[in-house]
């Protein structure tokens, strides 16, 4: 029993393999068929986007799928090359080798291996929480900006020209300069394919439904748009002999299963690639887990973040040893897999078998496949990632979230991918710290006829001239400790009659060492001014921690269980008067504390 | 009137110059005398520590003091070269030029200029709050580690050997290797000076007091220890002709006022020095403002962080144009200045005049001053900065604060100064975010006989089987949003009878865009499970912000003013029973919420 539990823990596949039945099998097989058809053009196109030979895209869609099937926790996630990670791979590998060279291909392998290791290390060290530091606006801005970059990078294939550049600033002039040299047949193929794919995405399904085609079949046919596009354009190129006219094609792709590979160890190059690999892991993980969670929720299943790390790590290691490049869970293909009826990861295993079959038997068919058609499939698929709606919503909802998002977008487009994500994360953390560094602080007084204390600015409450009761609505830590110090000195200086200060700690969940130092300083300065410092409503864990320091021994006043107890001790007369006053209705509105 | 107010705003000196009287003058003059005596050995020693010619130390103690006197807001802060900033200058300048070379001296000037500009920019952009990101444990660990580095770097002067290195890892073997070549007369001078200075610091004052010397004079005499030490050792070197025996001396120091200077613009070098300059500014500002605040509080004066930035910025610009190097407010000298009776910044102006006099007339006296004696003054003064007590306290109080401190210390000693502070700041921010990313979440129930709701695990409260009331004790933001999602799914999955979830938002001060996304997802998934989501006790500003999004339109349930109102609407029967139950005493203990 124990053995089985442990096996399940590390090999989630065991749990769904038990009880696998015929209906599961049918669902998985059909889904695999659809996803395979979808993956053929995608894997060739994303390999092109990553600057890698086309077969690398196929290889990355075989072993990684099987590795994820064994170790991943999502039942329907479909792993493989995806657009964002492909561009990140190109940017990282391009820094150490020329696109398409042997050392470039090797760099992509190293990136896959390092990503795998980083993901597995995150699983072992339980560092999955690091992904939460990528706030949604930053991720959303990042994906929008990368989608724009990707679309821009594919324009050269639509035009049939050369134009290199990692940022929009580099790409735009290169494209404008090269545009007059565009190859007309290429432009024609590219434009027609793009228009067709847009239509297939938005107009085909409604049309089929109008012809009484069943919804599920209409869906699948609409998804097969890219396959139709590459078949049609390949035929046109072959029949009209457009290669002679300068149309770039995929060309000869070696047939066969992925050769085994192991990237050669080179400390300098690996060290140079590590930050990019870490970023690829993090972005890949975030993208993948949100897809996995969305799908799992639809069937009331749960996804374990740590198992996801293991699954994705295994998939990337598998990519590294089978001549692939970094992979992650893709949104579009996972949704297709799910909608086509996949029940378990066996669908992915069947998909891997399908792609392997293609790699062994059908590569000669890609000889006349025009690059412009692949570029069209990339452009149409990434344009759906550009999410201006969220930009607009974020602008309306919060300027600080918007500025983190805007910084990410602008820096990705102008400076680069890594700088962009770094700028976004840094800005969102700084803005968060800045916000909490100026916590809401309220002077409170007793609500007549009750034992409750509320903000003097929002309620008609009773206060004592000798006692200043202050409620801080935030934990006390390094970023806000000095603010409290300054605030308190200001208030005490303005009120010469004050003899006691009571800090109401009901909202203080933590006091860190910096804040403790500040409290010591506050205590000291108040003492010199003849003012006693008290605490009230200190939470249990906070009090336990304070007892590990000398602060409570130095404290000039007392620690009161409740603010009411504090006031009845420090100013019994006023408290008695407040207790006896008629209760006010207002209290029930606890909202405005 | 308006003009005067504006003048005062930018030139705080105006406010204390008005009403300046004779007693102020006496205090300032006496303090200036003591501080000048203290500054002579210190400025020579810190220039040596910074790897600069001795006169640079004197120059940095003239114009910057006057600039700070005009623009700074502290009345008693004494500005000039300090140990930590001197070592940081050496580390930064050492990266682009050989110690003592012309371009090294130039680099120090550039550092001063850039620090000045950074400080002034922080003042204009109101970025003083950035300093709060340096948590106390990180600063304390940083200063302790730098003090150890400084002491280690001076050992070579005590031994009279050459041993270079920026980290303890580089210095230790170099010192051990060089130790056998130590120069005996140098070792003798260094040891005797060190022992004498330790004794002067701790044993001299009690001794003088026992001989009925007046306290203030005893204090001043004890502070004059370093001056006595350098006079005595200089005489010994001169009389015994120890230069012949290989004792290194300060040698000839050019006489005269500081020559004007303006660092040559060199974009590469400036860009390389900018991060170090920014760090010097930040550390200098933190060190300086804590001294200033401590002293101001003793006399019920206030220090304005922004004016401090202007004052320190002006002081550094002054250093840059008068052949100095980066300066800041020093702890020891400011305390001496204060204790000796300084009332206003005129004390610093007098001090500057005193040092200028020394630079013009007395530099020949330093010819035979042994470097070992200067090293001894540095070592004795920095050893007091090593604060193991705080390390111990922090360990006891909080492991996470301790680990940020330990990381700072270890990385400073092993890798370097900048890496150390970066490691400390990063770790303290990550640990803080990690802590808030797992907020305290409580299921709450009604306290019988009251309208209050408390944690079911800590109180005997009444709950409804159909309604799950959840209180989150933290603002909702990118780091904790996903945690709430996971927590909520887990709880709802465990309770099949739940029809309603109420999020009690009394402790939620902010909901950022990431958390809003999470709430939308939670809403959606609960809806699919047939569970309605409600909010209660939402604070005014949070509700205002939510109204800028579509969330409230999507909300399946309602927003209730109070949790009691929510419960009496969602489960009137249970609520009526709870309302009618006899009140329990327990409630008054609001502490354990």
């Amino acid at each position: 029993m124990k053995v089985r539990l442990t096996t399940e823990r590390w090999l989630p596949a065991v749990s769904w393999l038990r009880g696998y039945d015929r209906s599961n099998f049918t669902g998985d097989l059909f889904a695999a068929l659809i996803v395979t058809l979808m993956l053929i053009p995608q894997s060739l196109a994303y390999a092109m986007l990553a600057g890698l030979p086309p077969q690398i895209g196929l290889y990355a869609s075989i072993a990684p799928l099987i590795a994820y099937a064994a170790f991943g926790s999502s039942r329907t996630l479909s792993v493989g090359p995806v657009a964002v990670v492909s561009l990140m791979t190109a940017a990282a590998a391009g820094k150490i080798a020329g696109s398409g060279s042997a050392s470039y291909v090797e760099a992509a392998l190293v990136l896959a291996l390092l990503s795998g290791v980083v993901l597995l290390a995150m699983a072992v060290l339980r560092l999955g929480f690091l992904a939460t530091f990528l706030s949604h606006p930053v991720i959303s801005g990042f994906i929008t900006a990368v989608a724009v970059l990707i679309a821009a990078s594919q324009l050269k294939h639509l035009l049939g020209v050369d134009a290199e550049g990692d940022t929009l600033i580099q790409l735009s002039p290169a494209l404008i300069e090269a545009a007059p040299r565009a190859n007309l047949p290429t432009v024609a193929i590219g434009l027609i394919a793009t228009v067709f794919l847009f239509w297939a995405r938005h107009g085909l399904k409604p049309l089929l439904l109008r012809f009484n085609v069943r919804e599920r079949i209409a869906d699948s046919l609409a998804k097969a748009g890219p396959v139709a596009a590459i078949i049609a354009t390949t035929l046109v190129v072959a029949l009209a002999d457009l290669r002679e006219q300068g149309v770039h094609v995929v060309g000869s792709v070696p047939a066969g299963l992925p050769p085994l590979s192991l990237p050669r160890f080179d400390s300098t190059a690996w060290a140079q690639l590590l930050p990019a690999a870490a970023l690829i892991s993090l972005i890949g993980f975030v993208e993948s887990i949100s897809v996995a969670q969305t799908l799992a929720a639809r069937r009331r299943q749960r996804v374990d973040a740590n198992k996801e790390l293991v699954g994705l790590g295994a998939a990337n290691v598998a990519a590294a040893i089978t001549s692939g490049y970094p992979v992650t869970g893709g949104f579009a293909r996972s949704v297709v897999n799910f909608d086509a009826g996949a029940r378990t990861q066996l669908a992915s295993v069947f998909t891997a078998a399908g792609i392997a079959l293609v790699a062994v038997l059908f590569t000669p068919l890609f000889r006349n496949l025009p690059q412009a058609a692949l570029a069209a499939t990339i452009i149409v698929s990434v344009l759906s990632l550009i999410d201006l709606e969220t930009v607009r919503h974020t602008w309306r909802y919060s300027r600080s979230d918007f500025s983190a998002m805007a910084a990410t977008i602008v820096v990705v487009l102008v400076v680069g991918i890594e700088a962009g994500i770094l700028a976004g994360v840094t800005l969102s953390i700084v803005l968060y710290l800045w916000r909490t560094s100026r916590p809401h602080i309220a002077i409170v007084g007793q609500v007549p006829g009750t034992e409750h204390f509320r903000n003097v600015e929002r309620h008609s409450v009773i206060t004592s001239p000798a006692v200043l009761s202050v409620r801080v609505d935030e934990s006390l830590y390094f970023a806000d400790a000095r603010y409290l110090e300054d605030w308190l000195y200001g208030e005490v200086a303005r009120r010469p009659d004050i003899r006691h200060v009571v800090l109401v700690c009901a909202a203080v969940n933590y006091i860190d060492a910096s804040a403790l130092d500040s409290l010591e300083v506050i205590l000291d300065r108040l003492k010199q001014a003849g003012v006693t410092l008290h605490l009230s409503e200190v939470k249990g864990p906070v009090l336990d921690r304070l007892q590990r320091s000398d602060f409570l021994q130095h404290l000039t006043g007392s620690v009161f269980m409740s603010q009411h107890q504090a006031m009845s001790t420090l100013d019994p007369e006023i408290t008695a008067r407040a207790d006896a006053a008629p209760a006010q209705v207002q209290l029930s509105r606890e909202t405005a504390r």
Side-chain angles (χ1 to χ4, degrees), chain A:
Chain A
M1 192 60 202
K2 191 146 186 214
V3 173
R4 191 196 278 174
L5 274 177
T6 315
T7 319
E8 273 193 43
R9 192 171 153 207
W10 291 109
L11 223 61
V14 174
S15 68
W16 50 258
L17 274 177
R18 238 180 296 129
Y20 195 81
D21 62 15
R22 199 193 171 102
S23 91
N24 286 341
F25 178 77
T26 326
D28 285 346
L29 194 65
F30 183 72
L33 190 70
I34 304 286
V35 175
T36 304
L37 279 180
M38 179 182 178
L39 267 188
I40 297 167
Q42 266 199 7
S43 45
L44 297 172
Y46 291 153
M48 183 172 90
L49 171 58
L52 292 165
Q55 69 273 19
I56 305 283
L58 294 174
Y59 298 165
S61 310
I62 301 174
L65 277 69
I66 299 171
Y68 182 86
F71 296 103
S73 74
S74 164
R75 297 211 177 168
T76 43
L77 189 75
S78 178
V79 166
V82 305
V84 173
V85 166
S86 297
L87 188 75
M88 293 174 81
T89 302
K95 272 188 201 144
I96 68 166
S99 178
S101 68
S103 38
Y104 186 94
V105 175
E106 170 104 9
L109 276 185
V110 173
L111 283 170
L113 184 65
L114 293 177
S115 294
V117 171
V118 167
L119 288 162
L120 293 172
M122 281 171 69
V124 172
L125 302 173
R126 311 231 141 225
L127 290 179
F129 80 94
L130 283 179
T132 61
F133 290 178
L134 294 169
S135 71
H136 293 203
V138 168
I139 296 170
S140 158
F142 179 74
I143 288 179
T144 290
V146 169
V148 170
L149 267 190
I150 290 174
S153 75
Q154 295 309 301
L155 286 179
K156 65 178 179 204
H157 295 299
L158 284 195
L159 296 173
V161 297
D162 270 341
E164 297 302 322
D166 290 332
T167 66
L168 217 51
I169 302 296
Q170 295 163 357
L171 268 171
S172 314
L175 280 168
I176 290 167
E177 192 262 328
R181 296 194 302 277
N183 177 276
L184 285 186
T186 306
V187 173
I189 290 175
L191 274 187
I192 293 170
T194 307
V195 171
F196 168 74
L197 288 169
F198 261 114
W199 174 76
R201 192 170 265 259
H202 301 288
L204 184 55
K205 194 181 152 192
L207 188 77
L208 290 170
L209 289 178
R210 216 181 308 148
F211 283 98
N212 286 324
V213 179
R214 268 198 298 163
E215 166 128 25
R216 190 161 158 194
I217 294 182
D219 243 353
S220 306
L221 282 175
K223 294 284 156 45
V227 175
I230 67 165
I231 290 174
T233 53
T234 302
L235 283 177
V236 168
V237 169
L239 298 177
D241 215 5
L242 290 180
R243 295 175 68 174
E244 298 296 307
Q245 317 252 355
V247 171
H248 292 290
V249 293
V250 169
S252 70
V253 178
L257 288 174
L260 291 184
S261 59
L262 193 66
R264 197 167 31 84
F265 182 71
D266 170 347
S267 61
T268 326
W270 287 38
Q272 224 178 323
L273 291 169
L274 186 60
L279 201 60
I280 288 174
S281 312
L282 212 58
I283 294 285
F285 174 57
V286 170
E287 193 176 341
S288 185
I289 193 140
S290 27
V291 183
Q293 281 177 332
T294 309
L295 298 180
R298 288 207 208 159
R299 290 205 188 128
R300 302 248 168 290
Q301 293 158 352
R302 280 180 68 76
V303 174
D304 176 325
N306 240 48
K307 282 183 192 153
E308 279 307 292
L309 285 169
V310 174
L312 292 176
N316 276 292
V317 170
I321 59 177
T322 57
S323 310
Y325 76 104
V327 294
T328 192
F331 181 73
R333 87 185 48 160
S334 299
V335 171
V336 169
N337 192 36
F338 185 94
D339 288 345
R343 298 302 188 82
T344 73
Q345 280 292 338
L346 225 47
S348 283
V349 175
F350 297 152
T351 305
I355 299 284
L357 208 66
V358 170
V360 171
L361 297 180
F362 300 137
T363 52
L365 298 179
F366 305 137
R367 173 179 290 273
N368 287 310
L369 170 55
Q371 291 183 351
L374 290 181
T377 69
I378 295 178
I379 289 176
V380 173
S381 89
V382 298
L383 285 185
S384 68
L385 297 178
I386 297 178
D387 186 0
L388 297 178
E389 191 60 9
T390 298
V391 175
R392 208 172 56 78
H393 278 306
T394 308
W395 164 258
R396 245 178 52 205
Y397 185 69
S398 151
R399 294 296 186 275
S400 85
D401 277 313
F402 174 79
S403 55
M405 178 186 252
T408 311
I409 294 177
V410 170
V411 178
V412 165
L413 293 180
V414 172
V415 184
I417 289 179
E418 290 166 31
I421 201 99
L422 201 66
V425 169
T426 307
L427 193 59
S428 50
I429 291 176
V430 167
L431 287 171
Y432 170 76
L433 292 178
W434 185 77
R435 193 167 59 234
T436 56
S437 75
R438 318 170 62 79
H440 182 238
I441 304 180
I443 297 177
V444 295
Q446 188 172 359
V447 182
T450 76
E451 297 195 354
H452 291 278
F453 287 75
R454 292 288 180 275
N455 191 343
V456 295
E457 288 175 12
R458 290 178 177 254
H459 301 264
S460 57
V461 291
I462 294 173
T463 56
S464 154
V467 184
L468 183 69
S469 299
V470 174
R471 196 191 66 219
V472 189
D473 288 345
E474 191 80 56
S475 286
L476 297 177
Y477 78 113
F478 59 87
D480 64 12
R482 178 149 308 166
Y483 180 81
L484 174 65
E485 259 184 76
D486 287 346
W487 190 92
L488 216 49
Y489 299 148
E491 289 298 322
V492 172
R494 287 205 294 133
R495 296 158 203 260
D497 294 340
I498 292 297
R499 314 305 323 144
H500 302 278
V501 168
V502 185
L503 272 188
V504 188
C505 300
V508 175
N509 298 310
Y510 193 81
I511 297 179
D512 81 352
S514 303
L516 182 68
D517 284 352
S518 282
L519 286 179
E520 293 267 11
V521 175
I522 288 169
L523 180 66
D524 214 48
R525 297 200 191 156
L526 289 180
K527 193 172 166 187
Q528 287 176 21
V531 177
T532 315
L533 180 70
H534 309 266
L535 305 180
S536 77
E537 308 197 1
V538 185
K539 297 191 177 185
V542 175
L543 201 58
D544 292 349
R545 191 172 284 276
L546 284 180
Q547 265 148 3
R548 294 198 220 155
S549 74
D550 305 330
F551 178 71
L552 295 176
Q553 280 118 62
H554 301 167
L555 190 63
T556 45
S558 316
V559 180
F560 295 102
M561 280 305 194
S562 75
Q563 175 60 15
H564 185 258
Q565 190 190 332
M567 285 309 292
S568 37
T569 310
L570 300 175
D571 195 339
E573 206 174 308
I574 294 272
T575 310
R577 211 190 311 153
D579 286 351
Q584 300 196 350
V585 191
Q586 190 189 19
L587 179 66
S588 73
R589 193 174 179 268
E590 291 224 12
T591 308
R593 292 178 57 132

